[in-house]
Amino acid sequence: MKFRVERDALAEAVAWTAKSLPSRPSVPVLAGVLLRVASGRLQVSGFDYEVSSQVSVEVQADADGAALVSGRLLAEITKALPGKPVDIAAVGSHLELVCGSARFTLPTMPVEDYPALPDMPSSAGTVDASTFASAVSQVAIAAGRDETLPMMTGVRLELNGSTMALLATDRYRLAMREIEWNPDDPEISLNSLVPAKTLNDTAKALGPGGGSVTLALAQGSAGEGMIGFAGGARRTTSRLLDGANYPPVRSLFPASHNAEARISVSALVEVVRRVALVAERQTPVLLSFSEDGVVVEAGGTEEARASEATEAEFTGEPLTIGFNPQYLIDGLQNLGAPTAVFAFVDAFKPAVISPAAESGEIIPGYRYLIMPIRVTR
């Protein structure tokens, strides 16, 4: 194997592939990225039996072939190279990399020991890449991080006709976004549970270039338990989580509310951040709403306390409610709108935050539900 490739294209391809490699692989070869050259293209692949990543790059090839090298080491080296063409050659049990006057020799691992990447499931349809990336980032923040509850670490993907719904919850908050997409089968009705981290990383990587993302999902026995995403020269597959017993979370959204507040997102985020400085871990911030606006308060140990008022339009009976400050900030920052609309039933029921435009109209499609924390005063 011998080829020349542009430094930026190589660095980007290796960095993206290496990102999904396991930090503690079960076998050494899974820490590697597979470089394979054929027909003037380089394929960079990574696989850990859970997630596979593959990207192809145009190269000037002198000899076809394959080599398996440490992914993280190669990613660090290619990122640090000067902005010149890179010459790579497999020589015996080593990979030689030359860029300008920089020269690296890396040990290789046996290519024959590397597992075959899974095939992509059949295509289910396409979705706008930037819209998909935005929707995933809005929802993935609410997914759980506790690996002992794997079901909560996923994003539920609901495909019904031309509507794609994404939902995630860690039991303390719930995010839901609905977007339009282009299904291959207009009558499609499928649900799947995708690991949130994988979905977020994939959507971020496929989003910036624009265009569309092809969603590949098993329909029947072929590729059961797998989902695939393809965009441009990149493709990813991921194992699905078992979502058979996923709770009916949509029912958590209240059918009606008794009070409503409209607040500037940037102003409230700043106030909550400042006030939360005195709050200890797990200590809520209190939001007291009235027709005069909202007062945000927090208390810590040794009598440390803080409060700050900010403007808000409020309708309903005065209300004081406590929230985890980070969960509140996460929801506000992902609204993608200048104004947040809070809908309350009472101080002990979940509140729903929706984005609103400058005109004050609620923007449909995204809702963030946050559980209150009971506080004795």
Side-chain angles (χ1 to χ4, degrees), residues 27-28 93 170 234 321 348:
V27 287
S93 61
D170 59 4
R234 298 178 176 186
I321 190 166
F348 308 108

Side-chain angles (χ1 to χ4, degrees), residues 210-261:
S212 64
V213 172
T214 298
L215 180 64
L217 198 56
Q219 299 175 63
S221 57
E224 193 69 50
M226 294 276 293
I227 191 168
F229 303 93
R234 298 178 176 186
R235 51 155 273 190
T236 294
T237 66
S238 172
R239 176 187 60 84
L240 293 172
L241 298 167
D242 181 6
N245 297 315
Y246 199 77
V249 291
R250 281 175 181 263
S251 62
L252 293 173
F253 288 105
S256 61
H257 58 273
N258 299 322
E260 186 179 283

Side-chain angles (χ1 to χ4, degrees), residues 1-307:
M1 182 183 77
K2 188 176 183 183
F3 64 92
R4 169 172 281 202
V5 61
E6 289 301 317
R7 178 259 181 196
D8 288 352
L10 177 67
E12 192 177 302
V14 174
W16 180 68
T17 306
K19 192 173 183 182
S20 59
L21 294 178
S23 52
R24 294 188 182 87
S26 53
V27 287
V29 291
L30 296 184
V33 292
L34 182 65
L35 307 177
R36 188 182 295 279
V37 174
S39 307
R41 293 196 75 81
L42 164 69
Q43 274 196 341
V44 186
S45 310
F47 184 39
D48 67 352
Y49 291 113
E50 301 277 330
V51 178
S52 79
S53 303
Q54 191 174 76
V55 59
S56 65
V57 178
E58 203 170 306
V59 297
Q60 297 172 25
D62 292 333
D64 291 354
L68 183 64
V69 295
S70 166
R72 297 196 189 282
L73 180 57
L74 186 61
E76 287 176 7
I77 290 171
T78 52
K79 189 170 86 171
L81 290 175
K84 297 178 181 179
V86 184
D87 290 299
I88 294 179
V91 181
S93 61
H94 289 82
L95 189 77
E96 291 189 353
L97 186 151
V98 179
C99 181
S101 60
R103 178 182 292 271
F104 292 86
T105 302
L106 306 179
T108 57
M109 295 175 273
V111 171
E112 58 272 16
D113 291 351
Y114 199 70
L117 266 67
D119 293 328
M120 286 278 278
S122 56
S123 168
T126 61
V127 61
D128 179 77
S130 57
T131 303
F132 183 62
S134 167
V136 170
S137 67
Q138 284 183 308
V139 170
I141 50 154
R145 310 285 190 273
D146 185 356
E147 296 295 338
T148 62
L149 293 168
M151 193 192 304
M152 295 298 167
T153 64
V155 171
R156 181 174 165 89
L157 208 57
E158 297 180 350
L159 307 175
N160 288 294
S162 61
T163 300
M164 175 189 293
L166 300 98
L167 301 100
T169 181
D170 59 4
R171 298 178 301 161
Y172 305 105
R173 51 187 169 163
L174 162 64
M176 183 177 82
R177 173 79 191 270
E178 290 183 336
I179 57 175
E180 293 291 305
W181 77 305
N182 306 302
D184 293 343
D185 173 8
E187 302 297 315
I188 192 169
S189 180
L190 277 178
N191 299 327
S192 58
L193 192 59
V194 191
K197 185 182 183 306
T198 302
L199 184 62
N200 203 20
D201 288 346
T202 301
K204 268 184 193 166
L206 300 178
S212 64
V213 172
T214 298
L215 180 64
L217 198 56
Q219 299 175 63
S221 57
E224 193 69 50
M226 294 276 293
I227 191 168
F229 303 93
R234 298 178 176 186
R235 51 155 273 190
T236 294
T237 66
S238 172
R239 176 187 60 84
L240 293 172
L241 298 167
D242 181 6
N245 297 315
Y246 199 77
V249 291
R250 281 175 181 263
S251 62
L252 293 173
F253 288 105
S256 61
H257 58 273
N258 299 322
E260 186 179 283
R262 291 169 183 264
I263 315 174
S264 160
V265 169
S266 56
L268 185 57
V269 167
E270 282 185 25
V271 170
V272 171
R273 277 213 175 108
R274 274 195 293 270
V275 169
L277 291 173
V278 300
E280 289 187 308
R281 187 176 166 80
Q282 307 300 330
T283 302
V285 290
L286 291 180
L287 280 71
S288 297
F289 291 93
S290 68
E291 60 183 20
D292 298 326
V294 59
V295 177
V296 183
E297 303 171 80
T301 55
E302 299 176 6
E303 306 301 319
R305 301 198 66 78
S307 71

